[in-house]
Amino acid sequence: MGENSKLSCGVIVVAAGRGERAGSHPDGPKQYRSIGGKPVITHTLDAFLKWSPAQDIVVVIHPDDNELFANALVQASDGKARIRTVMGGSTRQQSVLAGLEALAASGITHVLIQDAVRPFVDATLLARIEAALAAGNHAVLPAIAVTDTLKRADSDGNIAGTVPRAGLFGAQTPQAFYFTSILDAHRRAAADGRNDFSDDSAIAEWAGIPVRLIEGAVDNVKLTLRKDIAMADERLSGTALPDVRTGNGYDVHQLVPGDGVTLCGIFLPHDQMLSGHSDADVALHALTDALLATCGAGDIGDHFPPSDPQWKGAASRIFLEHAAQIVRDKGGVIMNADVSLIAEAPKIGPCREEMRKNLADMLGISLDRCSVKATTNEKVGFIGRREGIAAIATATVVYRSPE
């Protein structure tokens, strides 16, 4: 699909389950429990009602839940005319197929399949999925790399071995597909009597559809247990104290004769260059340290020692993206990145917006959360004498409360 092509997407929200592991409750199954003053499913629907490519939203519900769903829909955002319901089957797989069949005549090109009990899907994740579909991928799976050590148990409940976690990911929803491909795969699976697939990407794999992994979102959790619902309610009600952390970083590199400097990943022609083992990007080095500081993960030298020859001339983007992944693996959401450059020359102003865009891309956050500023040292000190460039960076990260 071309870069300027507009996606026409259907959305299937799977809400026919009974949610036994969350226990019984007067509000009904877990998708109808209240968090932040609204049912779980209402929060989920709101995310897609605000997402412009969603042309048609089908909610697959249990036959006993018509009234519960009608009450949940009352509290949803504008655009509810796009929502319709179909009845689900005895398994999730049957319910998804019912949703796909309901969309068969809608003319959509793609479909997103979402668990009703993932109420924290956000616009940033949907934008990543949209971009991956627009790039021509037939199936897109948001996922988070496994960080816990995995153990295999024997029949007696003892450890039978350790499972290497390299290359292992935890799958999330929404999972996105070229519509006709996933509809055909589901129909074939049903015809073959296959009802053992754990999710829709597994059916796509079985059908020979290549599935593209993209970065999921740490906050995009599935509410499974009673405590999950209680924690979600705390988060949305503001009763839990947010774990907001700020980290600072500072770096300086010497200027030597050369043809230009790299700052925030942008090369600026100049009659000097910055001396360093990598590309000497003081801005990204300082911001890397700031991110690592928010979770006590040391500094850039601990992760990328200058004595290691593999980092000679390396792009500092590698360092910053590594620090951002460490933050995410520890449950952090990057809220803000601010870099101040201190230099007599070259001029930063003409490249400021491009630098901000670079930071937003490297960190996976919106442009309005990235700031780049510059000042001179009024010709005072080593910076004033054009012997070096310094950078000060601040990062703000919100971490999930421990379970």
Side-chain angles (χ1 to χ4, degrees), residues 40-273:
V40 169
I41 193 171
T42 306
H43 292 280
T44 305
L45 288 171
D46 281 350
F48 293 98
L49 287 168
K50 296 170 184 174
W51 187 54
S52 59
Q55 304 297 309
D56 202 343
I57 301 173
V58 171
V59 185
V60 187
I61 67 173
H62 191 278
D64 295 341
D65 294 345
N66 278 295
E67 186 176 347
L68 287 171
F69 181 72
N71 292 334
L73 192 58
V74 169
Q75 301 180 63
S77 300
D78 293 339
K80 289 179 279 193
R82 285 177 285 163
I83 296 176
R84 52 197 169 105
T85 60
V86 297
M87 296 303 116
S90 59
T91 66
R92 183 187 186 279
Q93 192 172 324
Q94 291 174 350
S95 294
V96 172
L97 180 53
L100 289 169
E101 295 290 3
L103 288 169
S106 64
I108 58 170
T109 57
H110 297 79
V111 64
L112 276 64
I113 303 173
Q114 167 75 354
D115 295 324
V117 289
R118 287 189 188 267
F120 296 120
V121 58
D122 60 19
T124 302
L125 177 57
L126 290 174
R128 286 202 290 271
I129 292 171
E130 183 179 352
L133 290 176
N137 294 292
H138 271 235
V140 177
L141 172 66
I144 296 292
V146 172
T147 56
D148 292 330
T149 298
L150 301 176
K151 301 292 183 180
R152 183 185 295 108
D154 62 21
S155 57
D156 295 325
N158 298 314
I159 292 175
T162 299
V163 180
R165 64 191 180 196
L168 294 181
F169 292 82
Q172 298 185 335
T173 67
Q175 297 177 12
F177 307 90
Y178 192 73
F179 179 72
T180 56
S181 298
I182 195 63
L183 174 60
D184 177 67
H186 261 276
R187 284 173 173 170
R188 286 168 49 199
D192 287 356
R194 291 292 306 270
N195 58 7
D196 55 334
F197 294 104
S198 58
D199 68 356
D200 303 290
S201 65
I203 294 179
E205 295 169 46
W206 170 78
I209 302 169
V211 181
R212 170 67 65 182
L213 279 172
I214 66 165
E215 183 183 354
V218 172
D219 280 353
N220 184 28
V221 293
K222 185 176 182 180
L223 306 186
T224 302
L225 305 174
R226 189 189 300 271
K227 69 171 185 175
D228 299 331
I229 299 169
M231 289 173 61
D233 185 42
E234 285 182 356
R235 172 180 168 180
L236 291 172
S237 302
T239 55
L241 206 62
D243 186 2
V244 182
R245 307 183 194 178
T246 300
N248 294 311
Y250 173 81
D251 194 37
V252 61
H253 279 276
Q254 182 183 9
L255 282 166
V256 297
D259 61 354
V261 298
T262 298
L263 298 171
C264 293
I266 304 298
F267 182 78
L268 288 74
H270 187 46
D271 59 2
Q272 292 175 294
M273 62 181 287

Side-chain angles (χ1 to χ4, degrees), residues 357-370:
K357 289 175 184 175
N358 260 10
L359 295 185
D361 180 56
M362 295 175 200
L363 300 176
I365 59 178
S366 59
L367 184 63
D368 65 318
R369 296 181 182 274
C370 299

